[in-house]
């Protein structure tokens, strides 16, 4: 496995592979890798000849400086996991490599897709994600790029950015991997105390309740949200950032819950904010996942 830190080395490795007509799959990450990331790499290996992973904790996407400073790191463990997963190249840029002039005075913004969900409660987050992902796309020049559907809004925003800006890259959304009790895998889970970790399975249990409500024909988003919020707030350590029901394509609020509905939540357990989502569907609607 090749590990490189500079743009020059990365570009020359990619250039050589392209010259041999090898296709490149790319999974951008911020490290602290878990099984969810490994499934991105495996999906890449099944689609592309070479798999490239980047590990870079991107400062421009954190609206809370404390969150950035507390982001968990485990470089040795990450490299071992990449090697075991059969990754071909890991790109490990320094902050100065990605942002040689400091944070650029440049903003990417998609008013529709960023209006709701994390776009509402994490100002500047997706601007930073689009910026770093575009830069990485230019440096890696992949044929495919892989994003987890746990961060569904990020996946849709990148998909749309690639379409609008004509990046010649196929974006692939990879299903969420879950722990035994249903909690979505996330690098943030390690920050939970034992008690918070126990309580965190309120999220998958809330999805089970939501499915029942939806199947029983509850169409009023306000009533739906209130029932789900009451369920989550049965634990005193929970603070709800949002519970929203949106159209899975446009991410606009659903005024009535029918057809396909993306139920998305962001919940604090103590100081740790977790996000998750689930697609609710009537039997007659097509499966977009
Ligand atoms: O999902 C993430 O880990 C990050 O937002 C990404 C896509 C690596 C950009 O920094």
């Amino acid at each position: 496995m090749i590990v490189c830190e500079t743009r020059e080395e990365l570009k020359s490795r990619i250039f050589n592979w392209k010259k041999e007509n090898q296709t490149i799959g790319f999974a951008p990450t911020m490290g602290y890798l878990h099984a969810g990331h490994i499934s991105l790499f495996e999906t890449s290996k099944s689609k592309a000849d070479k798999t490239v992973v980047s590990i870079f904790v991107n400062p421009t996407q954190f609206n809370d400086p404390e969150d950035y400073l507390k982001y968990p790191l485990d470089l040795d463990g990450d490299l071992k996991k990449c090697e075991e997963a059969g990754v071909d190249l890991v790109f490990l840029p320094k902050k100065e490599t990605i942002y040689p002039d400091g944070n650029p005075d440049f903003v990417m913004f998609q008013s529709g897709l960023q209006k709701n969900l994390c776009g509402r409660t994490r100002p500047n987050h997706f601007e930073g994600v689009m910026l770093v992902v575009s830069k990485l796309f230019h440096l890696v020049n992949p044929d495919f790029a892989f994003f987890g559907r746990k961060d569904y809004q990020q996946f849709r925003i990148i998909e749309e950015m690639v379409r609008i800006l004509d990046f010649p890259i196929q974006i692939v959304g990879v299903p969420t991997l879950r722990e035994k009790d249903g909690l979505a895998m996330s690098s943030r889970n390690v920050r939970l105390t034992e008690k918070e970790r126990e309580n965190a399975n309120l999220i998958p249990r809330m999805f089970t309740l939501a499915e029942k409500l939806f199947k029983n024909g509850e169409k009023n988003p306000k009533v739906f949200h209130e029932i789900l919020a009451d369920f989550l707030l049965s634990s005193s350590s929970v603070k709800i950032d949002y519970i929203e029901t949106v159209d899975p394509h446009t991410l606009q609020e659903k005024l009535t819950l029918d057809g396909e509905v993306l139920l998305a939540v962001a919940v604090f357990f103590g100081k740790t904010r977790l996000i998750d989502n689930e697609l609710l569907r009537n039997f007659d609607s097509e499966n977009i996942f």
Side-chain angles (χ1 to χ4, degrees):
M1 183 175 80
I2 301 160
V3 178
C4 62
E5 294 189 0
T6 64
R7 289 172 174 235
E8 292 70 26
E9 184 180 355
L10 172 72
K11 283 193 161 180
S12 99
R13 301 280 187 181
I14 302 280
F15 179 80
N16 289 337
W17 283 335
K18 292 257 167 177
K19 216 166 56 187
E20 295 163 1
N21 284 326
Q22 311 259 26
T23 55
I24 314 280
F26 176 45
T29 80
M30 298 208 296
Y32 214 81
L33 305 176
H34 51 71
H37 294 108
I38 308 301
S39 83
L40 301 183
F41 310 160
E42 281 166 358
T43 314
S44 169
K45 285 176 69 61
S46 71
K47 277 192 168 289
D49 299 318
K50 297 288 178 191
T51 290
V52 175
V53 168
S54 63
I55 300 179
F56 177 62
V57 184
N58 171 38
T60 64
Q61 71 187 72
F62 287 85
N63 50 320
D64 173 0
E66 202 192 324
D67 197 21
Y68 172 60
L69 294 173
K70 276 195 328 200
Y71 205 83
L73 302 171
D74 176 19
L75 192 52
D76 292 342
D78 287 349
L79 290 177
K80 194 158 168 270
K81 284 176 190 151
C82 287
E83 178 106 60
E84 281 166 6
V87 168
D88 297 284
L89 185 151
V90 179
F91 181 44
L92 277 181
K94 297 213 170 6
K95 202 166 124 185
E96 302 70 42
T97 307
I98 297 293
Y99 300 116
D101 310 318
N103 292 357
D105 181 15
F106 179 79
V107 179
M108 300 172 85
F109 183 65
Q110 296 187 50
S111 58
L113 291 181
Q114 282 175 246
K115 189 174 145 215
N116 296 320
L117 313 172
C118 297
R120 200 198 299 268
T121 62
R122 292 189 73 191
N124 306 326
H125 169 65
F126 290 116
E127 288 85 332
V129 170
M130 280 190 277
L131 182 65
V132 79
V133 170
S134 309
K135 285 170 83 74
L136 290 167
F137 280 175
H138 286 305
L139 295 170
V140 176
N141 194 9
D143 301 281
F144 307 94
F146 301 88
F147 292 85
R149 284 182 186 266
K150 181 181 79 69
D151 301 312
Y152 184 82
Q153 188 173 22
Q154 167 172 281
F155 159 69
R156 270 296 297 132
I157 284 175
I158 300 291
E159 200 176 45
E160 202 56 10
M161 176 190 86
V162 160
R163 191 185 67 79
I164 293 168
L165 297 181
D166 293 318
F167 279 92
I169 301 172
Q170 187 185 325
I171 301 300
V172 181
V174 178
T176 305
L177 279 202
R178 295 182 179 279
E179 304 286 355
K180 272 205 187 81
D181 64 352
L183 180 67
M185 290 192 186
S186 161
S187 307
R188 289 168 189 263
N189 293 354
V190 292
R191 292 196 205 157
L192 299 167
T193 62
E194 210 174 306
K195 186 79 203 138
E196 287 163 359
R197 173 63 191 84
E198 251 173 55
N199 284 337
N201 79 9
L202 278 167
I203 298 179
R205 284 164 52 214
M206 184 210 67
F207 285 142
T208 309
L209 173 61
E211 271 164 33
K212 274 195 199 137
L213 290 172
F214 189 71
K215 282 198 181 122
N216 288 344
E218 181 53 69
K219 295 226 178 314
N220 183 332
K222 193 162 175 282
V223 174
F224 198 76
H225 297 172
E226 268 167 19
I227 295 173
L228 299 182
D230 283 348
F231 180 80
L232 286 177
L233 294 172
S234 64
S235 160
S236 58
S237 75
V238 169
K239 205 176 117 224
I240 298 171
D241 186 18
Y242 64 74
I243 298 179
E244 291 188 43
T245 36
V246 297
D247 177 285
H249 189 71
T250 63
L251 304 187
Q252 299 311 300
E253 217 174 298
K254 292 280 268 189
L255 299 178
T256 174
L257 303 180
D258 53 15
E260 282 176 333
V261 176
L262 185 87
L263 167 63
V265 295
V267 180
F268 283 96
F269 292 88
K271 286 188 162 175
T272 305
R273 182 178 178 275
L274 301 181
I275 61 169
D276 202 349
N277 65 78
E278 180 170 81
L279 184 72
L280 302 170
R281 274 189 310 131
N282 285 337
F283 293 113
D284 52 359
S285 57
E286 265 178 43
N287 188 357
I288 62 152
F289 272 68

